[in-house]
Amino acid sequence: MKKREKKIRLAIVGCGGIAWGCHVPYYKRDARVEVVAVCDIVKGKAEAMRKERFPKAAVYADYREVMARKDVDAVDICTPNDLHSEIAVAALKAGKHVMCEKPDAVSPEKAEAMKAASEKSKKLLMVMRNNRFAGASQFARKYIEAGRMGEIYAGRCGWQRRRGIPGKGGWFTTKAKSGGGPLIDLGVHMIDLAVWLMGSPRPVAVSGNTFCKFANDDGASDSEHAKFGEVKADGIFDVEDLAMGLIRFDNGAVLQIEFSWASNIKAETRFVELRGTKAGMNWKDGNVEFYSEENGVLTDVAPAGVMPDHGHDGNLKNFVDVLCGVAEPSYTPRQGVDMIKILAALYASAKSGREVVIG
Ligand SMILES: NC(=O)c1ccc[n+]([C@@H]2O[C@H](COP(=O)([O-])OP(=O)(O)OC[C@H]3O[C@@H](n4cnc5c(N)ncnc54)[C@H](O)[C@@H]3O)[C@@H](O)[C@H]2O)c1
Protein backbone atom coordinates (compact mmCIF):
# COMPACT_ATOMS: atom_id res chain seq x y z
CA MET A 1 0.00 0.00 0.00
CA LYS A 2 1.27 3.53 -0.92
CA LYS A 3 2.32 6.03 1.76
CA ARG A 4 -0.67 8.18 2.69
CA GLU A 5 -0.78 11.93 3.31
CA LYS A 6 -4.46 12.54 4.12
CA LYS A 7 -6.29 11.47 7.28
CA ILE A 8 -8.20 8.19 7.21
CA ARG A 9 -11.91 8.98 7.33
CA LEU A 10 -13.36 6.19 9.43
CA ALA A 11 -16.85 5.01 10.43
CA ILE A 12 -17.55 2.95 13.56
CA VAL A 13 -20.47 0.52 13.19
CA GLY A 14 -21.73 -0.81 16.54
CA CYS A 15 -21.42 1.51 19.53
CA GLY A 16 -21.45 -1.01 22.40
CA GLY A 17 -18.98 -2.31 24.98
CA ILE A 18 -15.87 -3.05 22.93
CA ALA A 19 -16.24 0.08 20.77
CA TRP A 20 -16.35 2.29 23.87
CA GLY A 21 -13.76 0.28 25.80
CA CYS A 22 -11.02 -0.14 23.16
CA HIS A 23 -11.70 1.30 19.70
CA VAL A 24 -12.86 4.80 20.62
CA PRO A 25 -9.97 5.49 23.03
CA TYR A 26 -7.49 4.35 20.38
CA TYR A 27 -8.92 6.50 17.56
CA LYS A 28 -9.06 9.51 19.89
CA ARG A 29 -5.28 9.18 20.29
CA ASP A 30 -4.27 8.47 16.67
CA ALA A 31 -4.11 11.79 14.80
CA ARG A 32 -3.99 9.97 11.45
CA VAL A 33 -7.65 8.97 11.87
CA GLU A 34 -10.77 11.11 11.78
CA VAL A 35 -13.98 9.39 12.91
CA VAL A 36 -16.55 10.89 10.54
CA ALA A 37 -19.51 8.58 11.20
CA VAL A 38 -20.89 6.50 14.05
CA CYS A 39 -23.65 3.96 13.50
CA ASP A 40 -25.75 1.80 15.79
CA ILE A 41 -29.09 0.14 15.16
CA VAL A 42 -30.08 1.74 18.47
CA LYS A 43 -29.61 5.29 17.23
CA GLY A 44 -29.41 6.71 20.76
CA LYS A 45 -26.18 4.77 21.30
CA ALA A 46 -24.59 6.34 18.21
CA GLU A 47 -25.88 9.76 19.29
CA ALA A 48 -24.32 9.30 22.73
CA MET A 49 -20.98 8.40 21.14
CA ARG A 50 -21.08 11.45 18.90
CA LYS A 51 -22.02 13.72 21.81
CA GLU A 52 -19.30 12.47 24.14
CA ARG A 53 -16.43 11.59 21.78
CA PHE A 54 -16.82 12.69 18.14
CA PRO A 55 -18.92 15.89 17.98
CA LYS A 56 -18.31 16.34 14.23
CA ALA A 57 -19.34 12.80 13.25
CA ALA A 58 -22.58 11.99 11.43
CA VAL A 59 -24.97 9.56 13.13
CA TYR A 60 -26.63 6.56 11.43
CA ALA A 61 -28.90 3.70 12.48
CA ASP A 62 -28.60 1.83 9.16
CA TYR A 63 -25.07 0.76 8.19
CA ARG A 64 -26.02 0.75 4.49
CA GLU A 65 -26.20 4.54 4.61
CA VAL A 66 -22.61 4.60 5.84
CA MET A 67 -21.51 2.46 2.89
CA ALA A 68 -23.24 4.86 0.48
CA ARG A 69 -20.94 7.71 1.65
CA LYS A 70 -18.13 8.09 -0.86
CA ASP A 71 -15.92 10.03 1.57
CA VAL A 72 -15.63 7.19 4.11
CA ASP A 73 -12.29 5.35 3.64
CA ALA A 74 -12.58 2.66 6.30
CA VAL A 75 -15.17 0.95 8.47
CA ASP A 76 -14.59 -0.51 11.92
CA ILE A 77 -17.19 -3.19 12.77
CA CYS A 78 -18.03 -3.68 16.46
CA THR A 79 -21.45 -5.34 16.18
CA PRO A 80 -22.58 -8.80 17.37
CA ASN A 81 -20.87 -11.72 15.61
CA ASP A 82 -23.60 -12.69 13.12
CA LEU A 83 -23.35 -9.28 11.43
CA HIS A 84 -19.58 -9.16 10.92
CA SER A 85 -19.56 -10.85 7.51
CA GLU A 86 -22.63 -9.06 6.14
CA ILE A 87 -21.34 -5.61 7.10
CA ALA A 88 -17.73 -6.35 6.09
CA VAL A 89 -18.78 -7.59 2.65
CA ALA A 90 -21.02 -4.53 2.14
CA ALA A 91 -18.15 -2.23 3.16
CA LEU A 92 -15.57 -3.97 0.93
CA LYS A 93 -17.99 -3.93 -2.02
CA ALA A 94 -18.43 -0.20 -1.43
CA GLY A 95 -14.65 0.21 -1.66
CA LYS A 96 -13.94 0.70 2.06
CA HIS A 97 -11.12 -0.88 4.07
CA VAL A 98 -12.37 -2.98 6.97
CA MET A 99 -11.30 -3.56 10.55
CA CYS A 100 -13.66 -6.04 12.21
CA GLU A 101 -13.99 -7.33 15.75
CA LYS A 102 -13.47 -11.03 16.37
CA PRO A 103 -14.70 -13.64 15.56
CA ASP A 104 -14.33 -13.15 11.81
CA ALA A 105 -17.71 -14.74 11.07
CA VAL A 106 -20.16 -17.34 12.37
CA SER A 107 -19.55 -19.88 9.57
CA PRO A 108 -16.71 -20.79 7.17
CA GLU A 109 -18.91 -19.72 4.23
CA LYS A 110 -19.33 -16.24 5.72
CA ALA A 111 -15.59 -15.98 6.42
CA GLU A 112 -14.87 -17.06 2.82
CA ALA A 113 -17.28 -14.35 1.58
CA MET A 114 -15.28 -11.71 3.48
CA LYS A 115 -12.00 -13.00 2.05
CA ALA A 116 -13.42 -13.07 -1.50
CA ALA A 117 -14.81 -9.53 -1.16
CA SER A 118 -11.45 -8.26 0.05
CA GLU A 119 -9.61 -9.92 -2.84
CA LYS A 120 -12.11 -8.60 -5.40
CA SER A 121 -12.11 -5.02 -4.11
CA LYS A 122 -8.36 -5.05 -3.30
CA LYS A 123 -9.24 -3.34 -0.02
CA LEU A 124 -7.71 -4.27 3.33
CA LEU A 125 -9.58 -6.72 5.56
CA MET A 126 -8.30 -7.21 9.09
CA VAL A 127 -9.99 -8.92 12.02
CA MET A 128 -9.06 -8.19 15.64
CA ARG A 129 -6.33 -10.49 16.99
CA ASN A 130 -5.40 -8.39 20.00
CA ASN A 131 -3.61 -11.20 21.84
CA ARG A 132 -0.94 -11.29 19.12
CA PHE A 133 -0.05 -7.73 20.19
CA ALA A 134 0.35 -8.44 23.91
CA GLY A 135 3.97 -7.78 24.94
CA ALA A 136 4.57 -11.43 25.87
CA SER A 137 3.21 -12.60 22.49
CA GLN A 138 5.47 -10.26 20.53
CA PHE A 139 8.48 -11.41 22.58
CA ALA A 140 7.51 -15.06 22.05
CA ARG A 141 7.02 -14.67 18.32
CA LYS A 142 10.53 -13.24 17.87
CA TYR A 143 12.03 -15.95 20.10
CA ILE A 144 10.32 -18.65 18.04
CA GLU A 145 11.14 -17.02 14.67
CA ALA A 146 14.80 -17.09 15.68
CA GLY A 147 14.47 -20.89 15.78
CA ARG A 148 14.98 -21.12 19.54
CA MET A 149 12.11 -23.58 20.07
CA GLY A 150 13.14 -25.90 17.24
CA GLU A 151 10.21 -27.86 15.79
CA ILE A 152 6.93 -27.11 17.57
CA TYR A 153 5.00 -30.37 17.54
CA ALA A 154 2.35 -30.13 20.27
CA GLY A 155 0.52 -27.65 22.45
CA ARG A 156 -2.42 -26.80 24.69
CA CYS A 157 -4.36 -23.59 24.89
CA GLY A 158 -7.40 -22.31 26.67
CA TRP A 159 -9.31 -19.59 28.41
CA GLN A 160 -11.20 -20.90 31.38
CA ARG A 161 -13.46 -18.81 33.54
CA ARG A 162 -14.84 -19.86 36.87
CA ARG A 163 -17.82 -17.55 36.37
CA GLY A 164 -17.95 -15.21 33.38
CA ILE A 165 -20.92 -15.55 31.07
CA PRO A 166 -21.27 -12.39 28.96
CA GLY A 167 -24.77 -10.90 28.60
CA LYS A 168 -26.71 -13.95 29.74
CA GLY A 169 -29.89 -14.33 27.65
CA GLY A 170 -28.68 -11.65 25.18
CA TRP A 171 -26.91 -12.06 21.82
CA PHE A 172 -23.77 -13.70 23.27
CA THR A 173 -25.75 -16.74 24.50
CA THR A 174 -28.05 -16.94 21.44
CA LYS A 175 -26.45 -19.24 18.85
CA ALA A 176 -28.16 -17.60 15.88
CA LYS A 177 -26.47 -14.30 16.77
CA SER A 178 -23.15 -15.37 18.32
CA GLY A 179 -22.39 -18.61 16.46
CA GLY A 180 -21.64 -20.33 19.79
CA GLY A 181 -20.43 -19.92 23.37
CA PRO A 182 -16.90 -19.69 24.82
CA LEU A 183 -15.41 -21.72 21.95
CA ILE A 184 -16.15 -18.99 19.41
CA ASP A 185 -15.98 -16.09 21.89
CA LEU A 186 -12.72 -16.96 23.68
CA GLY A 187 -11.40 -19.74 21.43
CA VAL A 188 -10.78 -17.33 18.61
CA HIS A 189 -8.34 -15.45 20.88
CA MET A 190 -6.22 -18.28 22.27
CA ILE A 191 -6.41 -20.77 19.38
CA ASP A 192 -5.32 -17.94 17.10
CA LEU A 193 -2.42 -17.04 19.38
CA ALA A 194 -1.28 -20.67 19.54
CA VAL A 195 -1.57 -21.26 15.79
CA TRP A 196 0.15 -17.94 14.98
CA LEU A 197 3.06 -18.80 17.30
CA MET A 198 3.23 -22.28 15.72
CA GLY A 199 3.81 -20.58 12.33
CA SER A 200 0.23 -20.91 11.01
CA PRO A 201 0.11 -24.60 10.03
CA ARG A 202 -3.13 -25.52 8.22
CA PRO A 203 -5.77 -27.45 10.23
CA VAL A 204 -6.71 -30.86 8.83
CA ALA A 205 -8.99 -32.50 11.44
CA VAL A 206 -10.55 -31.89 14.86
CA SER A 207 -12.30 -33.71 17.64
CA GLY A 208 -14.46 -31.74 20.08
CA ASN A 209 -16.93 -31.93 22.95
CA THR A 210 -19.22 -29.21 24.27
CA PHE A 211 -21.27 -28.95 27.49
CA CYS A 212 -23.96 -26.59 28.73
CA LYS A 213 -24.42 -26.88 32.49
CA PHE A 214 -24.85 -23.29 33.67
CA ALA A 215 -27.64 -21.96 31.45
CA ASN A 216 -30.27 -22.30 34.16
CA ASP A 217 -28.08 -21.31 37.09
CA ASP A 218 -29.15 -17.76 37.91
CA GLY A 219 -26.03 -16.99 39.94
CA ALA A 220 -23.57 -18.09 37.25
CA SER A 221 -23.42 -14.93 35.18
CA ASP A 222 -22.48 -12.88 38.22
CA SER A 223 -19.02 -11.75 37.17
CA GLU A 224 -17.20 -8.80 35.68
CA HIS A 225 -17.60 -10.39 32.24
CA ALA A 226 -21.38 -9.96 32.37
CA LYS A 227 -20.57 -6.34 31.44
CA PHE A 228 -20.08 -7.48 27.82
CA GLY A 229 -23.32 -7.56 25.86
CA GLU A 230 -26.66 -7.01 27.57
CA VAL A 231 -28.31 -9.41 30.00
CA LYS A 232 -31.86 -10.39 28.99
CA ALA A 233 -33.89 -11.96 31.79
CA ASP A 234 -36.25 -13.97 29.53
CA GLY A 235 -33.69 -14.41 26.72
CA ILE A 236 -32.09 -17.43 25.03
CA PHE A 237 -29.15 -19.60 26.19
CA ASP A 238 -28.62 -22.26 23.54
CA VAL A 239 -24.79 -22.30 23.36
CA GLU A 240 -22.14 -24.28 25.26
CA ASP A 241 -20.49 -23.06 28.46
CA LEU A 242 -17.51 -25.46 28.13
CA ALA A 243 -15.72 -26.81 25.06
CA MET A 244 -12.77 -29.22 24.91
CA GLY A 245 -11.05 -30.73 21.92
CA LEU A 246 -8.03 -31.53 19.82
CA ILE A 247 -6.88 -29.97 16.53
CA ARG A 248 -4.56 -31.76 14.09
CA PHE A 249 -2.42 -29.78 11.62
CA ASP A 250 -0.90 -30.57 8.22
CA ASN A 251 2.64 -30.61 9.68
CA GLY A 252 1.72 -33.35 12.17
CA ALA A 253 1.41 -30.97 15.15
CA VAL A 254 -1.55 -31.16 17.55
CA LEU A 255 -3.21 -28.61 19.83
CA GLN A 256 -5.48 -29.41 22.77
CA ILE A 257 -8.09 -26.76 23.57
CA GLU A 258 -10.32 -25.88 26.52
CA PHE A 259 -12.67 -22.89 26.81
CA SER A 260 -15.25 -22.13 29.49
CA TRP A 261 -17.46 -19.24 30.53
CA ALA A 262 -18.35 -21.11 33.72
CA SER A 263 -16.55 -24.05 35.33
CA ASN A 264 -15.91 -25.16 38.87
CA ILE A 265 -12.20 -24.36 38.82
CA LYS A 266 -10.01 -22.28 41.14
CA ALA A 267 -9.73 -19.12 39.02
CA GLU A 268 -9.85 -17.65 35.53
CA THR A 269 -6.81 -18.29 33.34
CA ARG A 270 -5.71 -17.73 29.71
CA PHE A 271 -2.87 -19.83 28.41
CA VAL A 272 -0.91 -21.18 25.46
CA GLU A 273 1.61 -23.91 26.17
CA LEU A 274 3.79 -25.14 23.30
CA ARG A 275 6.31 -27.99 23.14
CA GLY A 276 9.27 -27.65 20.81
CA THR A 277 12.31 -29.85 20.26
CA LYS A 278 14.68 -27.15 21.59
CA ALA A 279 12.39 -25.41 24.11
CA GLY A 280 8.89 -25.31 25.55
CA MET A 281 6.79 -22.18 26.01
CA ASN A 282 4.23 -21.24 28.62
CA TRP A 283 2.22 -18.05 27.88
CA LYS A 284 -0.07 -17.44 30.84
CA ASP A 285 -2.27 -14.43 31.57
CA GLY A 286 -0.03 -12.10 29.59
CA ASN A 287 3.33 -13.45 30.82
CA VAL A 288 5.63 -15.88 29.02
CA GLU A 289 8.42 -18.29 29.93
CA PHE A 290 10.57 -20.64 27.86
CA TYR A 291 12.02 -23.90 29.20
CA SER A 292 15.16 -25.28 27.61
CA GLU A 293 18.53 -26.91 28.27
CA GLU A 294 22.01 -25.54 27.69
CA ASN A 295 25.23 -27.56 28.10
CA GLY A 296 23.42 -30.13 30.22
CA VAL A 297 21.79 -27.50 32.44
CA LEU A 298 18.03 -26.84 32.43
CA THR A 299 17.35 -23.16 31.74
CA ASP A 300 14.30 -20.91 32.03
CA VAL A 301 14.03 -17.70 29.99
CA ALA A 302 11.48 -14.99 30.72
CA PRO A 303 11.20 -11.22 30.23
CA ALA A 304 12.08 -9.32 33.41
CA GLY A 305 9.22 -7.21 34.74
CA VAL A 306 5.64 -6.98 33.60
CA MET A 307 4.86 -6.94 29.88
CA PRO A 308 1.93 -4.88 28.52
CA ASP A 309 -0.97 -7.31 28.21
CA HIS A 310 -4.07 -6.46 26.18
CA GLY A 311 -3.05 -5.69 22.60
CA HIS A 312 -6.09 -3.90 21.16
CA ASP A 313 -4.18 -0.66 20.67
CA GLY A 314 -1.35 -2.46 18.90
CA ASN A 315 -3.79 -4.25 16.59
CA LEU A 316 -5.67 -1.03 15.69
CA LYS A 317 -2.35 0.74 15.18
CA ASN A 318 -1.28 -2.02 12.78
CA PHE A 319 -4.51 -1.47 10.79
CA VAL A 320 -3.87 2.28 10.57
CA ASP A 321 -0.15 1.73 9.83
CA VAL A 322 -1.03 -0.55 6.91
CA LEU A 323 -3.45 2.04 5.53
CA CYS A 324 -0.71 4.65 5.88
CA GLY A 325 1.71 2.41 3.97
CA VAL A 326 4.19 1.97 6.82
CA ALA A 327 3.52 -1.65 7.88
CA GLU A 328 2.39 -5.02 6.63
CA PRO A 329 -0.87 -6.51 7.96
CA SER A 330 -0.36 -8.84 10.90
CA TYR A 331 -3.38 -10.89 9.80
CA THR A 332 -4.41 -12.50 6.54
CA PRO A 333 -7.99 -13.41 5.55
CA ARG A 334 -6.72 -16.97 4.87
CA GLN A 335 -5.84 -17.25 8.58
CA GLY A 336 -9.35 -16.03 9.40
CA VAL A 337 -11.01 -18.65 7.22
CA ASP A 338 -8.85 -21.40 8.76
CA MET A 339 -9.81 -20.21 12.25
CA ILE A 340 -13.54 -20.30 11.55
CA LYS A 341 -13.18 -23.72 9.86
CA ILE A 342 -11.55 -25.03 13.05
CA LEU A 343 -14.38 -23.68 15.23
CA ALA A 344 -17.16 -24.95 12.93
CA ALA A 345 -15.52 -28.39 12.74
CA LEU A 346 -15.21 -28.55 16.56
CA TYR A 347 -18.95 -27.83 16.86
CA ALA A 348 -19.74 -30.43 14.18
CA SER A 349 -17.55 -32.99 15.95
CA ALA A 350 -19.23 -32.28 19.31
CA LYS A 351 -22.59 -32.90 17.64
CA SER A 352 -21.64 -36.10 15.81
CA GLY A 353 -19.32 -37.55 18.45
CA ARG A 354 -16.69 -38.20 15.74
CA GLU A 355 -13.51 -36.63 14.42
CA VAL A 356 -14.24 -34.15 11.62
CA VAL A 357 -11.89 -33.70 8.67
CA ILE A 358 -11.33 -30.11 7.46
CA GLY A 359 -11.40 -29.81 3.67
N1 LIG B 1 -11.38 -8.28 21.08
C1 LIG B 1 -11.93 -8.33 22.29
O1 LIG B 1 -11.24 -8.43 23.30
C2 LIG B 1 -13.44 -8.28 22.41
C3 LIG B 1 -14.04 -8.09 23.66
C4 LIG B 1 -15.44 -8.01 23.72
C5 LIG B 1 -16.20 -8.14 22.57
N2 LIG B 1 -15.58 -8.32 21.37
C6 LIG B 1 -16.38 -8.48 20.12
O2 LIG B 1 -16.94 -7.21 19.79
C7 LIG B 1 -18.23 -7.38 19.22
C8 LIG B 1 -19.22 -6.53 20.00
O3 LIG B 1 -19.23 -6.96 21.34
P1 LIG B 1 -19.71 -5.99 22.52
O4 LIG B 1 -19.30 -6.64 23.78
O5 LIG B 1 -19.29 -4.59 22.24
O6 LIG B 1 -21.31 -6.13 22.34
P2 LIG B 1 -22.43 -5.05 22.65
O7 LIG B 1 -23.72 -5.79 22.61
O8 LIG B 1 -22.05 -4.27 23.87
O9 LIG B 1 -22.33 -4.03 21.41
C9 LIG B 1 -22.79 -4.35 20.12
C10 LIG B 1 -23.45 -3.10 19.53
O10 LIG B 1 -23.82 -3.36 18.18
C11 LIG B 1 -25.07 -2.73 17.94
N3 LIG B 1 -25.72 -3.33 16.79
C12 LIG B 1 -26.46 -4.47 16.71
N4 LIG B 1 -26.91 -4.66 15.47
C13 LIG B 1 -26.46 -3.62 14.72
C14 LIG B 1 -26.59 -3.24 13.36
N5 LIG B 1 -27.31 -3.99 12.49
N6 LIG B 1 -26.01 -2.11 12.93
C15 LIG B 1 -25.31 -1.32 13.79
N7 LIG B 1 -25.14 -1.63 15.10
C16 LIG B 1 -25.69 -2.77 15.56
C17 LIG B 1 -25.83 -2.93 19.26
O11 LIG B 1 -26.93 -2.07 19.39
C18 LIG B 1 -24.72 -2.68 20.28
O12 LIG B 1 -24.64 -1.32 20.63
C19 LIG B 1 -18.52 -8.88 19.25
O13 LIG B 1 -18.30 -9.44 18.00
C20 LIG B 1 -17.55 -9.43 20.27
O14 LIG B 1 -17.17 -10.76 20.01
C21 LIG B 1 -14.23 -8.39 21.27
Side-chain angles (χ1 to χ4, degrees), residues 13-19 39-42 45 61 63 77-81 83-84 87 101-103 128 130 171-172 185 189 227-230 312:
V13 180
C15 303
I18 196 67
C39 169
D40 199 291
I41 199 161
V42 181
K45 287 185 160 193
Y63 73 80
I77 303 167
C78 297
T79 62
N81 304 351
L83 295 164
H84 291 177
I87 299 174
E101 258 303 341
K102 58 84 202 170
M128 183 64 90
N130 48 286
W171 73 261
F172 271 103
D185 181 39
H189 283 294
K227 72 174 184 258
F228 288 112
E230 277 162 26
H312 302 84

